[in-house]
Amino acid sequence: MKLTTRVFGEVEIDDSKIISFPNGIIGFPDLKKFTLIHDEDSGTNTIQWLQSIDEPTFAMPVMDPLFVCPEYKPAVDENITNDIGNIEEDDLLVLVTVTVPKDLKLMTANLMGPFIINVKECKGAQTIVENDDYPVKFPIYEILQKNKEE
């Protein structure tokens, strides 16, 4: 499938890479099909894009929260994950949205609203974590710079 995106221009999407969000995502309940796109040169160890298939102009920067918060273990309501199948640890992908303002030093990750993805089933859900240990605006710029140097 060819998709014309706002961030990457025209891209070819393999049907096997489409992730279904049965209940949509927070704030966008009608957007139910997404794919992950990343810069081939940077790989998946940096910011990726959760690109909507339903609305090609909509994409959100996301990342693996463990890159900036190694102890990240959110408490997730089981009812949220019931719609995406039984998830084995090897099939679990957790991503969080990233806010990238003009001043990159103010970049943050939303640790309170993770995406839980069952990579085996290609199904996902977004949730709000049940504990208050993780903020909506977790500063990540300095952590990313430190990780880049190592």
Side-chain angles (χ1 to χ4, degrees):
M1 158 191 305
K2 284 191 193 273
L3 190 66
T4 302
T5 70
R6 180 178 55 87
V7 178
F8 289 95
E10 188 172 283
V11 293
E12 184 80 29
I13 306 293
D14 187 315
D15 287 348
S16 69
K17 302 291 185 190
I18 295 175
I19 304 163
S20 173
F21 285 77
N23 299 312
I25 61 174
I26 295 171
F28 302 93
D30 295 335
L31 301 182
K32 298 184 184 287
K33 294 196 179 297
F34 290 84
T35 192
L36 283 171
I37 299 177
H38 62 275
D39 181 345
E40 294 293 331
D41 295 334
S42 300
T44 59
N45 291 339
T46 59
I47 295 175
Q48 301 177 66
W49 292 85
L50 188 63
Q51 171 66 56
S52 172
I53 302 295
D54 302 315
E55 178 55 56
T57 60
F58 182 85
M60 293 192 307
V62 294
M63 71 181 313
D64 181 335
L66 297 178
F67 291 134
V68 293
C69 187
E71 68 282 354
Y72 188 69
K73 294 225 186 282
V76 176
D77 183 346
E78 275 185 27
N79 292 328
I80 298 294
T81 59
N82 285 343
D83 290 339
I84 62 173
N86 184 28
I87 307 174
E88 301 294 328
E89 192 168 331
D90 290 345
D91 299 328
L92 174 66
L93 175 63
V94 177
L95 298 170
V96 294
T97 57
V98 177
T99 300
V100 185
K102 286 187 186 215
D103 182 353
L104 293 180
K105 292 179 180 170
L106 300 176
M107 190 181 324
T108 61
N110 178 354
L111 299 182
M112 188 175 271
F115 295 98
I116 311 299
I117 299 171
N118 179 339
V119 295
K120 185 176 181 181
E121 302 280 331
C122 288
K123 288 185 177 179
Q126 186 179 19
T127 187
I128 301 296
V129 295
E130 295 179 341
N131 50 13
D132 294 328
D133 297 338
Y134 302 111
V136 171
K137 293 186 179 269
F138 181 74
I140 63 173
Y141 179 81
E142 289 182 16
I143 299 168
L144 291 174
Q145 292 304 326
K146 184 180 172 192
N147 289 348
K148 192 185 285 185
E149 292 170 8
E150 292 177 356

